Amino acid sequence: GDSVTQMEGPVTLSEEAFLTINCTYTATGYPSLFWYVQYPGEGLQLLLKATKADDKGSNKGFEATYRKETTSFHLEKGSVQVSDSAVYFCATGGATNKLIFGTGTLLAVQP
Amino acid sequence: DAGVIQSPRHEVTEMGQEVTLRCKPISGHDYLFWYRQTMMRGLELLIYFNNNVPIDDSGMPEDRFSAKMPNASFSTLKIQPSEPRDSAVYFCASSLAPVRGTDTQYFGPGTRLTVL
């Protein structure tokens, strides 16, 4: 079945460092791909998405490119801030209407 | 729009008691999802509805769990009887009619359930 694998956390960075959180997926067909973010004590919020191969999703300085050849959707940001500290979830919308989430990666940014 | 509304935000109960969690989806959304989040199991989809009809309840852990959606603006998730292992954060989410998962799900703030 469809699945998502993302890198284990926690990821600890200093402010203004470069961020990469890896995500790979297995799915039938051509799924949409998502990154959601969960701030402490809150629900998940959509950060960005891509609906077809080679699409780049971007929001708030974060980017991810849908790579069909490597079945990946890695999240990147050039310069992280303390306010980016949160849990990041990669997800795929597969053959059904359900979203399949990864296990989440905790990002801690230190000033 | 107020977003997805869940109540209560926190619930503490004793083992064996009935627990009812409530959700009001975003107006106009056709799909409603119930998730459970724990440290051990991560985020799990329990059940989802389309136009008030349950479509897939394969994630409901056992018969103690039940969910209803009597109308387009209200859903409940009930646990009877509750057990300590049910302690988790329960999220409700809603979306417009998604086509093969392409549409965005909007999450509520969650209900933190503690069963003593």
Side-chain angles (χ1 to χ4, degrees):
Chain A
D2 298 351
S3 66
V4 171
T5 302
Q6 60 181 105
M7 63 189 290
E8 298 260 345
V11 174
T12 303
L13 296 173
S14 298
E15 207 165 21
E16 299 184 0
F18 184 85
L19 168 71
T20 300
I21 301 178
N22 291 337
C23 171
T24 57
Y25 68 92
T26 57
T28 55
Y30 303 93
S32 293
L33 300 171
F34 305 81
W35 277 101
Y36 278 80
V37 59
Q38 184 178 28
Y39 298 103
E42 298 184 10
L44 279 72
Q45 305 173 25
L46 178 70
L47 181 59
L48 54 85
K49 70 178 182 182
T51 58
K52 61 182 186 296
D54 299 325
D55 267 3
K56 178 185 284 187
S58 61
N59 186 26
K60 299 181 180 180
F62 291 88
E63 293 183 339
T65 301
Y66 189 144
R67 300 287 188 198
K68 193 171 188 307
E69 64 277 12
T70 54
T71 62
S72 65
F73 193 55
H74 304 322
L75 182 67
E76 296 182 336
K77 185 174 186 182
S79 176
V80 294
Q81 305 300 311
V82 172
S83 57
D84 294 327
S85 298
V87 180
Y88 292 82
F89 292 88
C90 185
T92 177
T96 68
N97 291 326
K98 300 188 292 189
L99 288 180
I100 308 299
F101 285 90
T103 54
T105 302
L106 174 64
L107 170 65
V109 181
Q110 299 175 337
Chain B
D1 199 317
V4 175
I5 299 173
Q6 291 186 246
S7 64
R9 292 293 309 275
H10 302 274
E11 176 80 31
V12 180
T13 190
E14 294 189 345
M15 183 174 62
Q17 297 298 306
E18 177 179 295
V19 175
T20 300
L21 311 181
R22 298 172 176 80
C23 175
K24 176 178 169 55
I26 293 173
S27 177
H29 281 192
D30 301 303
Y31 282 76
L32 184 140
F33 305 81
W34 281 102
Y35 292 88
R36 177 172 68 176
Q37 186 178 38
T38 61
M39 289 294 292
M40 290 298 294
R41 301 175 68 90
L43 194 64
E44 304 172 275
L45 176 66
L46 300 178
I47 184 171
Y48 77 94
F49 295 82
N50 176 24
N51 291 326
N52 314 336
V53 176
I55 302 301
D56 184 348
D57 65 354
S58 59
M60 295 286 262
E62 48 197 275
D63 292 345
R64 298 184 297 105
F65 285 70
S66 62
K68 295 182 180 179
M69 193 164 186
N71 57 63
S73 59
F74 184 66
S75 177
T76 59
L77 178 67
K78 185 177 293 186
I79 308 172
Q80 166 63 14
S82 58
E83 296 182 3
R85 61 193 167 116
D86 301 331
S87 298
V89 180
Y90 291 81
F91 289 104
C92 176
S94 70
S95 72
L96 292 167
V99 177
R100 297 179 64 83
T102 57
D103 215 335
T104 301
Q105 290 185 19
Y106 295 86
F107 282 73
T111 296
R112 182 173 296 276
L113 173 65
T114 302
V115 183
L116 303 175

